Amino acid sequence: MAGNIKLMVCDNADSVAKEAAKVFSALISDRPEAVIGLATGSTPENTYAELARMHKEEGLSFAKVTSFNLDEYWGLDGDHDQSYRYFMRTNLFDKVDIRPWNTFVLNGKAQFPAIECEAYEQKIVSMGGVDLWLLGIGGNGHIAFNEPGSPVDSRTRLVSLTQETIDANSDGRFFKDASEVPRCALSTGIGTIREARGLVLLATGAKKADAIAAAVNGPFTPDVPASLLQDHPDCTFIVDKDAASKL
Ligand code: GLP
């Protein structure tokens, strides 16, 4: 069942980034104080580059925007060059006028993870919830670091990474060696993500084709975490032809 998921298939990864950036810039232009959710990984890098270009050349302003990120490696300081806080600074935050104090990323070095996670959930609620959350997808269908088996009502918490995810993130793009990848992460839950008013999931490349097909056309099941978005009222997948090839 495809549920409510809206699908946009683009010619290539570049068009995926441009379409995704358009959706976010439209929201921010319409609602300058928007609360946005952000993702890390290779896939959204070009979207952030496009948003940075729109800021520089077209005056798109993030001055009143608040952002929440999906997840953070457990044990990494925000200054570590593989932390997601560092990723966001270098790919987006330092290139636009978003105020650093309005950017929320889970603290991978928090002394008490349960308290950190609960405070993060409360912060999202206190900001009125997330208007639009950008997502990627793992080859195994994970969203954020919600690995297969994560319940539909899961909340922000400390999670273990699967070997597949550890390997995927140590293929030379990020960590050089699997031994360097943290085994755990703090991740927003599927329940947390589903509460966003809008969701935009990006996928590019043939490596994501199975996960996209299972998420869109397969059963609604924790075995494929992204399939748990099928009943969301406003969820769009923006994918390139390769990622759409098994639909
Ligand atoms: C990582 C992140 C996810 C991301 C996914 C895909 O493990 N925690 O949020 O969506 O993997 O990443 P990539 O875009 O690099 O394929």
Side-chain angles (χ1 to χ4, degrees), residues 42-43 137-142 164-165 167-174 202-214 239-246:
S42 300
T43 314
I137 184 168
N140 61 2
H142 75 226
E164 188 178 348
T165 297
D167 293 342
N169 289 337
S170 60
D171 62 359
R173 293 172 306 150
F174 299 115
L202 309 184
T204 58
K207 275 191 196 162
K208 302 291 172 69
D210 285 324
I212 289 297
V239 304
D240 69 0
K241 281 183 179 158
D242 291 340
S245 60
K246 296 198 173 167

Side-chain angles (χ1 to χ4, degrees), residues 38-44 70-71 73 84 135-139 142-147 161 165 168-169 173-174 202 204 208:
L38 300 172
T40 50
S42 300
T43 314
L70 286 171
D71 45 18
Y73 286 113
Y84 286 164
L135 301 166
I137 184 168
H142 75 226
I143 48 174
F145 272 130
N146 293 286
E147 298 284 26
L161 308 187
T165 297
N169 289 337
R173 293 172 306 150
F174 299 115
L202 309 184
T204 58
K208 302 291 172 69

